[in-house]
Amino acid sequence: MSDSATPPARDRTHWLYLAVIVAVIAGVVVGKLAPGFGKSVGELGTIFVNLIKMMITPVIFCTIVLGIGSVRAAAKVGRVGGLAIGYFLIMSTVALGIGLLVGNLLHPGSGLNVAAHAKEVTKYATDAKAAGGTWQFFEDIVPTTLLSSLTSGKVLQALFVALLAGFAIQAMGAAGEPILRGVASIQKLVFRILTMILWLAPIGAFGAMANVVARTGLDAVKQLALLMVAFYLTCVLFIFGVLGLLLRLVAGTSIFKLVRYLAREYLLIFATSSSESALPRLIAKMEHVGVDRTTVGVVVPTGYSFNLDGTAIYLTMATLFVADAMGKPLAWHEQLGLLLFMIVASKGAAGVTGAGLATLAGGLQSHRPELLDGVGLIVGIDRFMSEARALTNFSGNAVATLLVGTWTDTIDPARVRAVLDREIPFDERAMVDDDHPGPHDKDLVPA
């Protein structure tokens, strides 16, 4: 084994993630024993997530420009994108079907009274309306100006402009090489800044957990324990059953090793209840594991808007829960029509705060308005369920990257095995690899 594969003597980030665990526990205790103080520190979690979101656009832009700009054949990028979108649509349908199956088997909302919570749903119906429809979603992909795509915070706008820039540099040939070297230097700077921000994770985790426990209490969790347990078990079944089987059959890789490799990202998502907090690290780790930069740059950002497996499961189960709780269960044809609409609508609400509840409320308002009041019942536990949603969405995108890389032959299987077996450690300090070639060096523009 080469010296480059030797792990560093001291990995200080190990203490960072231990501190996150302590902070989560402390947040639960403080939220329960001192709810007033717990509510007052809630903004700490919001600030930390906002800091991470601040870095998402430059990470995506640099990754895609470098990936596409250094590849000779534009058709290769189109093939990756086409396969990714097709896979996302199929997996959304599978996730929807699993949620329907579990919801119809358990009927967790039967016998509940939702009258006391009816007024709480107004905000989410308003949010869903503000999110716009499907056409608004596509219209928002095109930014107002070239530079606004880098400042708006909208992932798909950054993806769109980065694709344009990457193909333009690709067309420039040798004249574009200085630009690529400049973007590579900027990428290293961006990941260094991200590493600095991640040291604030314990503070953000403490504030987020203290706030949610202070506001909802533990009684809200106990009251709807069946729905929560069913949802979590369904997500686990989807990750280790459906995704795990696909990963083994297609890429020959163990889902358990992949989950272990991404353990710190799972902890970060659990602490912040946001899969976006781990997006930059997922890009870095998928490149490190051996997937071509081009494939990672296309699949991961697109998946964060289109591949929302956890959200799909949530929408199906929550809809059936509300209908049962209101004493107005849905017929099969109503379930399919309403929930297919919600899967499409969830793409348009991807950037809206409380997107899960907003999409749920918007779908019920459009198809079965008499059920809208029932959404208020799950407001109290939505924050806890959003963690499972985020973890499942994240897992789906990690698996999708490996699968698309395998289908397009843009992955190094030997490196995947070595990284997942801990033979080649991930550099937590730099988060950028300079020392390993991609599986298709012949496709790269020579320096």
Side-chain angles (χ1 to χ4, degrees), residues 431-444:
M431 294 176 62
V432 178
D433 285 321
D434 293 321
D435 59 345
H436 75 272
H440 290 287
D441 288 341
K442 62 182 180 293
D443 292 337
L444 301 182

Side-chain angles (χ1 to χ4, degrees), residues 383-432:
R383 169 59 172 77
F384 294 95
M385 296 178 70
S386 68
E387 292 166 349
R389 286 201 303 268
L391 292 170
T392 306
N393 291 341
F394 178 82
S395 300
N397 287 313
V399 171
T401 306
L402 294 175
L403 295 180
V404 174
T406 302
W407 287 324
T408 57
D409 196 24
T410 55
I411 193 172
D412 184 346
R415 184 176 177 89
V416 172
R417 288 190 293 271
V419 170
L420 296 186
D421 288 338
R422 299 179 173 180
E423 296 175 7
I424 306 177
F426 178 72
D427 188 346
E428 295 285 352
R429 296 165 297 178
M431 294 176 62
V432 178

Side-chain angles (χ1 to χ4, degrees), residues 217-418:
L218 299 180
D219 290 338
V221 182
K222 297 176 183 177
Q223 180 185 4
L224 301 173
L226 178 58
L227 176 62
M228 287 187 59
V229 170
F231 179 60
Y232 270 78
L233 289 178
T234 304
C235 289
V236 170
L237 173 65
F238 182 81
I239 293 173
F240 292 98
V242 177
L243 295 180
L245 181 61
L246 269 175
L247 191 62
R248 172 60 69 182
L249 293 177
V250 175
T253 302
S254 167
I255 186 67
F256 297 99
K257 290 183 178 180
L258 179 63
V259 169
R260 182 182 64 185
Y261 174 61
L262 299 172
R264 292 186 174 185
E265 288 67 45
Y266 282 115
L267 178 58
L268 188 62
I269 293 171
F270 180 80
T272 62
S273 192
S274 170
S275 59
E276 286 188 338
S277 63
L279 189 154
R281 287 182 59 89
L282 178 61
I283 289 176
K285 281 203 163 182
M286 287 295 99
E287 287 186 18
H288 174 74
V289 84
V291 183
D292 271 7
R293 180 175 286 157
T294 305
T295 302
V296 175
V298 172
V299 175
V300 174
T302 307
Y304 262 69
S305 289
F306 287 94
N307 191 31
L308 306 174
D309 299 328
T311 302
I313 295 173
Y314 167 82
L315 289 174
T316 55
M317 294 187 66
T319 299
L320 296 179
F321 173 83
V322 169
D324 288 341
M326 296 290 289
K328 301 175 182 179
L330 298 172
W332 271 103
H333 69 277
E334 292 177 315
Q335 293 180 26
L336 293 177
L338 175 61
L339 300 177
L340 286 173
F341 165 82
M342 285 185 170
I343 295 303
V344 176
S346 67
K347 310 299 186 292
V352 179
T353 301
L357 283 173
T359 306
L360 178 63
L364 290 175
Q365 189 176 42
S366 299
H367 288 69
R368 290 285 298 271
E370 71 275 16
L371 298 179
L372 187 59
D373 290 346
V375 178
L377 182 63
I378 62 175
V379 170
I381 63 166
D382 181 73
R383 169 59 172 77
F384 294 95
M385 296 178 70
S386 68
E387 292 166 349
R389 286 201 303 268
L391 292 170
T392 306
N393 291 341
F394 178 82
S395 300
N397 287 313
V399 171
T401 306
L402 294 175
L403 295 180
V404 174
T406 302
W407 287 324
T408 57
D409 196 24
T410 55
I411 193 172
D412 184 346
R415 184 176 177 89
V416 172
R417 288 190 293 271

Side-chain angles (χ1 to χ4, degrees), residues 31 35 38-40 42-43 209-218 220 380 384:
K39 293 178 183 178
S40 67
E43 292 302 318
M209 292 305 297
N211 179 59
V212 70
V213 173
R215 290 187 179 278
T216 65
L218 299 180
F384 294 95

Side-chain angles (χ1 to χ4, degrees), residues 178-199:
I179 301 176
L180 284 178
R181 288 194 291 269
V183 174
S185 298
I186 294 174
Q187 185 193 48
K188 292 181 181 180
L189 172 64
V190 167
F191 277 115
R192 284 291 183 179
I193 295 174
L194 179 64
T195 302
M196 295 163 59
I197 291 174
L198 287 174
W199 282 98

